[in-house]
Amino acid sequence: DDDWREVLGVKQGVIVNEVASGSSAAQAGLKGGDVLGAVGTAPVVSPVALVQLLGMTEAQEVALTVVRGKDRKTITLRWGRR
């Protein structure tokens, strides 16, 4: 059901339900309720696509397009590779 996209005014993306305290996502500034719209320049069309995009990223940081309320911004997510 894509009704939430219309309510939030976004065409694509996935909603962040929860961010673990101390995680890379929390350190980057992600919050519950944010909408992840893109990883780099690649659109996020589903949760599965988000996992695939992050998994294909060789770098230890990636730019995420985030929509929070009416604001759209880019944040940098950093993590260590295992």
Side-chain angles (χ1 to χ4, degrees), residues 9-79:
V10 297
K11 295 181 181 179
Q12 63 196 24
V14 297
I15 294 179
V16 175
N17 289 321
E18 184 178 343
V19 178
S21 178
S23 67
S24 296
Q27 291 174 7
L30 282 175
K31 298 179 186 236
D34 286 349
V35 177
L36 296 179
V39 173
T41 59
V44 175
V45 296
S46 70
V48 171
L50 174 61
V51 171
Q52 290 172 337
L53 289 167
L54 291 174
M56 292 185 321
T57 302
E58 294 293 327
Q60 291 186 343
E61 66 179 45
V62 65
L64 301 175
T65 302
V66 177
V67 176
R68 182 178 296 151
K70 296 191 183 287
D71 297 328
R72 179 180 303 266
K73 61 183 181 175
T74 301
I75 64 169
T76 301
L77 177 66
R78 294 178 177 89
W79 66 89

